[in-house]
Amino acid sequence: MRIDYGVTRAPARLFFGPGQRRAIGRAAADLGERVLICTDKRLAALPVMEEILNDLKAHNLQTIVFDATEPELPLSGILECVAAYRDFDPQVIVGIGGGSCLDLAKLVSLSLTYPGPLSQYYGEFKVPGPVRPLIAVPTTSGTGSEATPVAVLADPERTMKVGISSPALIPHTAICDPELTTTCPRGLTAISGADALAHAIEAFAAVSRPADPHLAMERVFVGKNTLSDNYALSAIKLLFANLERAVEQGDDIEARSAVMLGATYAGLAFGSGGTAAAHAIQYPVGAQTHTAHGLGVGILLPYTMDFNLQDAAADYAEIARAIGVADSRESDEVAARAAIASIRALFSRIGIPSTLRDIAITEDHLDSLSALSMNAARLIENNPTPLNPAAIRQILTRALQDA
């Protein structure tokens, strides 16, 4: 394992474990007096939200709830929330929910701190400074947004979803309570977990760059490094061992805890190591099919690993040995193939489709998808095997035909 260079970007505080949601009130009181909660209608109606609101009230905090977060986070929803609560002037923004709720909290905080439009911040290192303090409380185990410098939104002027990447967007406090995930539906648990596993695998096998002292100041995603490697490998082991049980037995708090910890570790890994081909290609695939991010990533990941085998065999072999599907007596290539086969089999067991045909991609889409994938330049550049439109079309063709 490379030990000469490492980068970690993380929340100032990260509280993990069953019942940790009861720290929200005190954590918010440390940061301000007026609190805006960003969540969705389903969560806002649950008894746990009343519990959280009572906790905030007990700490003498003025609290307003925005409960209209939409999946895939359209720009219009961000602007609606900002317009509604600018006069309230919240000092703390709390995101409670899945990735869209957490990303909404990040982007509302950004919008309340600096002038618009948000489009001027698309890309890396364009946020000019600190935003209003954020508390992230995930209720799914997938995006890792509670620990990352990234927020993703859907802008109608762009073909694909776009990202804003800046260390300023890392939440001040992450509160990860696996009890909040026990009501997460089976299908959402599966695709969220697939996304988390992809985060960890892509970070672990990302391109390795020279350890320039300025690298972490110029790139949010620096590529493979020793600190992200440790988070990534821990995440992979937790997710591989526990995701299926969390999908099948949603009330199993031990499995839920392991998967949530794995997803958070994966967020810490890709927050500096970055993601790669599966995520880059999913953006146009998701835009074309209007399917969930984690679903597309889950379909694509084994095919991108197949493509990367020539350059990432040693990394995939290390993964195989860590999850117990190969040992040191086998060559790296044999072990790497075992890792890919095992990921493919896990995804099949939890209901992830095996081909892009299953989400209505056809041969006619492949040229445009190949070209559009190249727009995710920071992810394309992070892939261990160089990518161009022809290479991406090769991946897509295999993912369409399951050849």
Side-chain angles (χ1 to χ4, degrees), residues 2-324:
R2 174 181 178 176
I3 57 172
D4 64 336
Y5 178 67
V7 178
T8 291
R9 301 185 179 96
R13 304 183 297 199
L14 197 160
F15 306 148
F16 177 89
Q20 289 302 308
R21 65 187 180 278
R22 298 183 182 96
I24 294 173
R26 185 169 179 181
D30 286 349
L31 301 173
E33 298 177 348
R34 295 184 301 280
V35 178
L36 170 63
I37 292 178
C38 297
T39 190
D40 59 35
K41 292 192 184 300
R42 185 187 73 85
L43 281 161
L46 292 178
V48 71
M49 185 60 71
E50 184 177 0
E51 174 192 330
I52 290 168
L53 290 172
N54 287 338
D55 182 28
L56 291 163
K57 184 177 180 180
H59 285 84
N60 300 313
L61 299 171
Q62 301 176 55
T63 304
I64 288 181
V65 177
F66 177 81
D67 65 0
T69 309
E70 298 177 58
E72 308 303 318
L73 193 56
L75 175 60
S76 59
I78 302 165
L79 299 179
E80 176 189 349
C81 184
V82 171
Y85 301 114
R86 187 178 291 280
D87 289 345
F88 176 63
D89 193 25
Q91 296 168 312
V92 186
I93 319 293
V94 181
I96 304 177
S100 291
C101 294
L102 305 191
D103 284 356
L104 174 65
K106 291 179 176 182
L107 297 177
V108 167
S109 180
L110 170 59
S111 299
L112 289 172
T113 308
Y114 301 105
L118 270 178
S119 57
Q120 68 183 303
Y121 307 114
Y122 294 170
E124 292 192 331
F125 284 111
K126 294 183 179 177
V127 178
V131 300
R132 301 187 188 200
L134 290 154
I135 297 177
V137 187
T139 61
T140 62
S141 300
T143 68
S145 186
E146 68 274 8
T148 73
V150 180
V152 180
L153 70 148
D155 184 333
E157 295 187 2
R158 307 292 177 111
T159 304
M160 304 187 302
K161 291 174 74 174
V162 291
I164 297 176
S165 300
S166 169
L169 295 184
I170 299 172
H172 178 280
T173 302
I175 298 177
C176 303
D177 184 341
E179 290 179 353
L180 295 177
T181 70
T182 57
T183 59
C184 187
R186 182 188 191 280
L188 181 56
T189 300
I191 63 175
S192 298
D195 189 25
L197 196 50
H199 290 153
I201 290 171
E202 291 199 315
F204 192 76
V207 69
S208 184
R209 295 185 172 91
D212 186 309
H214 302 291
L215 182 61
M217 302 296 196
E218 296 169 353
R219 284 182 176 269
V220 173
F221 291 170
V222 303
K224 185 175 178 65
N225 66 87
T226 189
L227 292 175
S228 66
D229 276 359
N230 279 282
Y231 287 123
L233 204 58
S234 294
I236 291 164
K237 290 189 284 189
L238 285 164
L239 291 162
F240 187 82
N242 294 281
L243 178 56
E244 185 175 3
R245 185 153 56 107
V247 169
E248 299 297 340
Q249 303 172 40
D251 61 351
D252 185 329
I253 195 62
E254 182 179 332
R256 289 289 193 179
S257 296
V259 170
M260 175 168 261
L261 184 59
T264 299
Y265 279 160
L268 290 166
F270 93 84
S272 65
T275 55
H279 280 76
I281 300 170
Q282 188 282 327
Y283 284 136
V285 167
Q288 175 66 44
T289 60
H290 304 288
T291 51
H293 171 74
L295 179 62
V297 168
I299 294 171
L300 288 161
L301 179 65
Y303 297 101
T304 60
M305 292 177 74
D306 283 336
F307 175 80
N308 290 329
L309 190 59
Q310 60 186 312
D311 294 294
D315 294 326
Y316 294 160
E318 190 170 351
I319 289 169
R321 293 166 187 136
I323 62 177

